[in-house]
Amino acid sequence: MSALPDFPELRFPNGIDAQAFLVRYWQRQPLLMRQALPDFENPLPSDELAGLACEPDVESRIILERAEQGPWQVQHGPFDSERFATLPPSHWTLLVQDVDKHIPEIGALLERFDFLPRWRIDDLMVSHAEDQGSVGPHVDDYDVFLIQAEGRRRWRITTAPEQPLDLIPDLEIRILQQFQASQEWLLEPGDILYLPPGVPHWGIAEGPCQTWSVGLRAPAWRELADDWLAQVADRFTPPGRWQDRSLTPPLDPAELDQDSIKAMRSRIESGIATAGADAFAAWLGSWLTEPKLNLELESRQPSWAEVEVIAALKASQRFERDGRSRLLFAAPVAADAQASLFANGQHHSLSAELLPLLSLLANRQTLELEQVGSWLRDPAARRLITDLFNAGHYWLPEGKEP
Ligand code: SIN
Ligand code: CO
């Protein structure tokens, strides 16, 4: 990256603002946003993206169309740097996930999407395609903002209800067997196409191009229930097992009697009822900030004492947040309850007086002494900053690490 990117403010078209976008388009219908990021200059050269795809903790794929071996080939990274020299001159795409976390300066673009709650944003995926490269016509389960970062890509979409959604069988990627576009646009740098979930789309590069996808996250009820109920089972289910000291001979030994059914059910449901709103909120925040395995932070070894961390903050004036740090905060669920900070799956329970600090920490990529200075008188705030620092959320600015 040549210089620190300074991303333009996001502009909605036709005089609409974020509020109107959410009411009219969000989760409802596609919106083409011409020059939504005016004068967008791509800060990420494609060879740097290819370099990222060679690193062990980076999730990447190359999708090749019409290679001799079959219609759609998927290869998973990390790649050898020589791999890129052997690719054909057209019809392929390199896709790199979580670029926001690997290059936090690029991740700063997500601040332009602050009209959405941060927990709803999954990642920034960046793709480089050579001429005619595409990942085929497909449907995504999530909302996506497709930002044209460099070069041109022709997007075709269909909103026709009769569009069949059958997939080409036996492929590793989900590609629609048939696709009949109802609208198409050629996107230029700075243009954005917003698509709600479930809209079939197909973007084909016209010449080499780079596309940034801001992908949203919408947990499936099933995944939430699976994990929450496992928590309830672990933490709130009464100990022991079935007992029936007052058993009398059954009328019919083959019958599963109503009393046993009711007793079993009420014991299990009492566990769910015991887990209160605070336990649910604590679990949800931890679940939502839990990183993927390849995005875990490295904790500081050996850990620093609180006085050392605070002295380092005072000396360097600021800490930089690791791109993989995911912080969310929550207000107390009731007047007498604690506030929460969720940090990569860890739950910190804190006094509600600390809420402004929690918001500051969760919102900023840089922890400025100037902004947090007055909080450092509070022992709980010092403890929290020390814990986050030792867990790997914060680094000293470049050149200041001992
Ligand atoms: C791409 O960047 O090539 C694909 C993005 C998408 O269709 O979701
Ligand atoms: Co897509």
Side-chain angles (χ1 to χ4, degrees), residues 93-95 125-129 133-136 138 140 144 146 153 155 195 201-203 210-213:
T93 305
L94 164 70
L95 302 114
M125 176 183 81
V126 177
S127 72
H128 167 86
S134 96
V135 301
H138 65 278
D140 293 317
V144 64
L146 298 155
R153 187 186 286 273
W155 282 103
L195 296 178
H201 56 285
W202 191 2
Q210 212 186 85
T211 301
W212 294 16
S213 302

Side-chain angles (χ1 to χ4, degrees), residues 20-315:
F21 167 79
L22 292 175
V23 172
R24 287 189 222 156
Y25 299 95
W26 177 243
Q27 300 240 293
R28 289 177 184 79
Q29 51 170 327
L31 178 64
L32 174 69
M33 300 159 60
R34 289 271 183 221
Q35 289 307 290
L37 294 168
D39 308 315
F40 184 87
E41 280 179 41
N42 184 11
L44 182 62
S46 287
D47 55 355
E48 205 172 310
L49 184 73
L52 205 55
C54 299
E55 287 179 21
D57 286 338
V58 175
E59 194 184 327
S60 63
R61 287 166 296 162
I62 291 174
I63 297 184
L64 281 146
E65 189 188 357
R66 303 204 179 90
E68 303 74 58
Q69 301 94 320
W72 296 96
Q73 297 282 309
V74 188
Q75 291 159 8
H76 294 273
F79 297 100
D80 285 337
S81 50
E82 296 85 64
R83 176 71 189 102
F84 296 98
T86 60
L87 286 164
S90 69
H91 290 90
W92 62 266
T93 305
L94 164 70
L95 302 114
V96 182
Q97 297 297 146
D98 297 298
V99 173
D100 53 314
K101 301 168 190 84
H102 297 299
I103 313 180
E105 294 82 356
I106 299 288
L109 172 82
L110 297 180
E111 289 167 21
R112 299 292 176 259
F113 292 82
D114 274 353
F115 58 94
L116 302 169
R118 189 58 56 86
W119 75 261
R120 282 285 266 125
I121 298 181
D122 189 15
D123 82 326
L124 176 70
M125 176 183 81
V126 177
S127 72
H128 167 86
E130 282 300 322
D131 187 36
Q132 300 304 305
S134 96
V135 301
H138 65 278
V139 179
D140 293 317
D141 294 331
Y142 309 100
D143 309 77
V144 64
F145 292 88
L146 298 155
I147 304 170
Q148 197 56 32
E150 200 174 313
R152 305 193 302 177
R153 187 186 286 273
R154 186 170 298 279
W155 282 103
R156 296 186 172 91
I157 69 162
T158 178
T159 45
E162 61 276 12
Q163 161 75 38
L165 297 177
D166 310 283
L167 303 177
I168 302 180
D170 307 323
L171 284 185
E172 204 187 317
I173 46 173
R174 289 156 36 124
I175 298 189
L176 294 170
Q177 272 184 18
Q178 296 168 47
F179 179 78
Q180 189 71 48
S182 61
Q183 274 171 295
E184 70 169 69
W185 307 276
L186 184 64
L187 266 70
E188 309 259 359
D191 293 344
I192 299 182
L193 175 60
Y194 162 72
L195 296 178
V199 175
H201 56 285
W202 191 2
I204 302 179
E206 297 203 351
C209 84
Q210 212 186 85
T211 301
W212 294 16
S213 302
V214 176
L216 278 291
R217 160 177 213 196
W221 299 126
R222 172 69 197 265
E223 4 163 32
L224 286 169
D226 270 357
D227 206 82
W228 169 240
L229 293 175
Q231 282 277 317
V232 170
D234 260 8
R235 295 181 44 207
F236 299 102
T237 309
R241 53 178 69 239
W242 178 257
Q243 287 181 344
D244 42 16
R245 288 203 203 127
S246 49
L247 192 65
T248 52
L251 287 175
D252 180 340
E255 184 186 7
L256 174 59
D257 63 287
Q258 291 304 313
D259 288 348
S260 300
I261 294 174
K262 279 190 201 130
M264 295 267 191
R265 185 160 181 228
S266 91
R267 269 316 187 79
I268 299 303
E269 289 188 343
S270 76
I272 302 179
T274 317
D278 51 347
F280 185 82
W283 160 79
L284 183 60
S286 306
W287 191 84
L288 286 171
T289 57
E290 186 72 56
K292 296 185 203 164
L293 283 180
N294 63 319
L295 295 172
E296 278 178 4
L297 294 168
E298 291 91 38
S299 56
R300 215 162 256 272
Q301 299 294 350
S303 59
W304 290 25
E306 188 180 296
V307 283
E308 295 174 298
V309 175
I310 303 305
L313 177 58
K314 286 183 176 162

Side-chain angles (χ1 to χ4, degrees), residues 363-379:
N363 272 297
R364 303 291 168 119
Q365 273 313 115
T366 306
L367 179 70
E368 302 278 354
L369 178 69
E370 212 184 9
Q371 287 168 336
V372 293
S374 58
W375 290 102
L376 297 181
R377 286 193 287 271
D378 184 321

